Amino acid sequence: MAIKNNYIRIEYLVFLCAVSAFGFVTENTYYLQIMTFIGINTLLGLGLNMLMGYTGQVSLGHAAFYGIGAYTTAILSGTYGINPWLSLVCAVAAAVFIAFIVGLPTLRLSGYYLAMGTLGFGMIVNIVIREWAAVTGGASGFVGIPVLEAGPLIFMSGANYYFLVWGIVFAAMIVCRRLLASRTGRALRAIHDGEKTAVAIGINTHLLKLEIFIFAAALGAVAGFLYAHFVLFISPESFGFMFSIKIVTMVVIGGMASVWGALLGATVLTLLPEVLHGFAEYEMIIFGTVLMVVMIFMPQGLTRGIMDMIRTAGRART
Amino acid sequence: MTQSEPTPGIPAKQILDVQNLTKMFGGVKAQDQISFSIEKGIVCGLIGPNGAGKTTLFNMITGIYQPDAGKVAFNGKDIRKTPAHRLVKAGIARTFQHVELFSSMTLLENILVGMHVRTQAGFWAAVTRIPAMKREERQSRRRAEELLEFTGLCADAHKMAGDLPAGRQKTAQIARALASEPLLLLLDEPAAGLNPVETHALGKLIQKIKQSGITMMLVEHDMSLVMEMSDKVVVLDQGKKLAEGTPRQIQRNEAVMSAYLGNG
């Protein structure tokens, strides 16, 4: 076990070095911007991965918490001039509170019903954002989100924001990993493997599902906060149903039940539209095709698929 | 629920007391006025033809089904309204007829998750890795290894539970149930699908568990195993209690014989 733990530490160290190196070396603001978006999407993927990949509870409304995070900070810091860091706390609190209220009845559902329930919730949040124009700016969006500052640091230039986002991503990955290696993590995986059996061995599945739903929502709100203060202008489309599906796709493509899967999935799904700039209209078709191909050839997701390929290649050589 | 309190002065000898338990499934009486009790420390066999309601009875004792009438008392406390997951904490554990291990987890992890009700570390403890959490984790692992040794599964600790041979999965289920440190252990057909060698080993394991002071209820079709293991046997037939007594009495009971062999 000790050896295994060391490997994991090395993985994280390599990851940290690679991310820092990229941040220091890259001057191109476009690349830094893309990487920042990858980081924000990774946060969303990480949260949903805990809920969907590990606990087996499909949510089709995850973008709602992203939106709640973004709009809460936008309104509080933009309209009311509250310190953005304080509004981060409020954004997370709002997401936690709403996740609690929504999750309490919804998580009694399972399978398709849970998916439908969260889908409905996501749509309601989007409609509220769209229609409550006096506060949210409605369909035309919210303008005037302040830039993040911390003492002499201004988080506007590419590199600063890049490091802020990836620092948070790294912390979130550690939190997820620690959680998974714990009693709680084992219980979550038990729910995934068999919810009835999990109850029969004494796990309060309803409470635990609620906890992890709230955790995912909180990570989503942090991602929303980072997004809002990065782009400084937000509109309802960014938090709609299509984006919820996109987060689900990230988790599935990257590989459910792997912390690295969220990172890989977010990377692929953030880069694809950039690479396929000329084919913007066909974006959904290409996403769909990629999803299908991955599901057919690597049903465990890219992370596991690639690992298996390396292993088989290694075995073939010896 | 004063009626279910133990009589003062007399220590509760009965760990489980079932009175007039009735359960309907859409007008069909799956359980009809079942009454029996189990003394601490014994093995109670529960037999009967298929469809007699043995598993239904287990499901009511473990809180998966709510009885329509009657009462179930565990250690003198009424448990009819207690949710299933709390009953495990109270000390009732079970295994299933069809193996239900968590197949994507290793055997060791299955045992560790079985300790859920006896451990505390929650969300914040896991994230902050406080010393108490680390200590608990170390203790859990040690205890899990002990349990694997007790059940003879050490060699498979790090294998995926789903990859184990059927016989070992059955034993693993018992190990996982023991991890919750039960007072009462319900075994639902533990010998089904086992070969004679494995069945023999199972018998030894049941005896070892009994020696450690755990009361057991055993649903089983392997009559020689039930008769050998049990101190007391309850016979169900078509949702009704047909007989209750020592294995010897049951083997001589005519009503039991005709239920098993038909009236011809």
Side-chain angles (χ1 to χ4, degrees), chain B:
Chain B
M1 303 300 149
T2 43
Q3 56 184 20
S4 60
E5 293 293 317
T7 325
I10 303 167
K13 271 196 231 142
Q14 284 151 356
I15 193 160
L16 187 75
D17 188 27
V18 175
Q19 293 293 333
N20 300 320
L21 207 60
T22 303
K23 177 77 188 171
M24 314 276 285
F25 286 124
V28 180
K29 276 189 176 165
Q31 301 274 284
D32 192 0
Q33 304 266 328
I34 306 247
S35 299
F36 67 92
S37 58
I38 300 178
E39 294 76 32
K40 269 182 194 157
I42 70 161
V43 176
C44 174
L46 180 64
I47 61 170
N50 284 325
K54 296 169 304 228
T55 300
T56 308
L57 183 58
F58 266 23
N59 284 339
M60 278 195 285
I61 297 171
T62 53
I64 293 174
Y65 295 157
Q66 300 264 311
D68 293 316
K71 66 167 197 148
V72 186
F74 176 68
N75 260 343
K77 283 197 197 85
D78 190 345
I79 56 166
R80 270 176 310 175
K81 297 268 155 61
T82 316
H85 66 88
R86 279 216 200 110
L87 287 177
V88 183
K89 191 156 191 181
I92 303 180
R94 74 175 292 179
T95 66
F96 293 88
Q97 193 173 342
H98 306 288
V99 177
E100 300 198 20
L101 290 176
F102 303 117
S103 54
S104 74
M105 297 163 78
T106 66
L107 177 56
L108 184 72
E109 284 171 328
N110 266 275
I111 309 296
L112 287 170
V113 85
M115 289 175 188
H116 193 83
V117 293
R118 300 289 167 234
T119 41
Q120 261 109 49
F123 181 89
W124 295 110
V127 171
T128 52
R129 290 251 158 125
I130 50 169
M133 179 266 178
K134 284 189 186 169
R135 200 181 319 127
E136 183 183 275
E137 193 74 4
R138 269 199 307 276
Q139 278 165 355
S140 296
R141 272 172 200 278
R142 205 174 311 132
R143 171 108 183 85
E145 278 156 18
E146 276 167 23
L147 267 169
L148 288 174
E149 201 165 309
F150 183 79
T151 48
L153 291 168
C154 275
D156 300 319
H158 297 288
K159 287 189 190 141
M160 283 297 173
D163 296 342
L164 296 177
R168 304 212 140 211
Q169 292 201 21
K170 289 227 127 179
T171 317
Q173 260 208 114
I174 299 178
R176 188 182 61 192
L178 288 173
S180 70
E181 294 169 28
L183 302 170
L184 175 67
L185 175 60
L186 309 180
L187 301 170
D188 199 350
E189 299 200 21
L194 297 190
N195 64 36
V197 178
E198 288 167 335
T199 307
H200 180 71
L202 173 71
K204 291 219 153 147
L205 179 60
I206 292 175
Q207 268 163 352
K208 265 166 76 179
I209 295 169
K210 188 185 168 186
Q211 274 159 20
S212 72
I214 296 169
T215 314
M216 269 173 284
M217 247 185 118
L218 176 64
V219 164
E220 191 44 71
H221 283 298
D222 184 327
M223 278 309 136
S224 59
L225 184 73
V226 176
M227 295 304 169
E228 194 187 334
M229 291 301 136
S230 307
D231 300 290
K232 171 184 189 170
V233 177
V234 173
V235 188
L236 295 187
D237 184 33
Q238 294 176 7
K240 290 197 173 83
K241 188 171 91 173
L242 199 61
E244 179 181 346
T246 63
R248 233 162 216 286
Q249 287 165 341
I250 295 299
Q251 277 164 321
R252 290 191 192 137
N253 189 310
E254 275 175 34
V256 176
M257 297 305 270
S258 69
Y260 267 91
L261 305 172
N263 292 316

Side-chain angles (χ1 to χ4, degrees), chain A residues 19 40 51 57 68 100 103-104 137 140 146 169 234 248 272:
Chain A
V19 167
I40 291 170
L51 185 69
Q57 311 299 314
I68 287 166
F100 177 74
L104 211 54
S140 47
V169 169
I234 52 175
V248 170
L272 261 186

Side-chain angles (χ1 to χ4, degrees), chain A residues 99-136:
Chain A
F100 177 74
I101 299 294
V102 172
L104 211 54
T106 319
L107 291 169
R108 288 212 182 270
L109 307 173
S110 60
Y112 301 120
Y113 298 104
L114 177 63
M116 295 301 280
T118 48
L119 172 75
F121 162 68
M123 291 196 161
I124 290 168
V125 168
N126 205 250
I127 290 168
V128 169
I129 293 174
R130 230 173 257 276
E131 298 302 322
W132 200 10
V135 177
T136 62

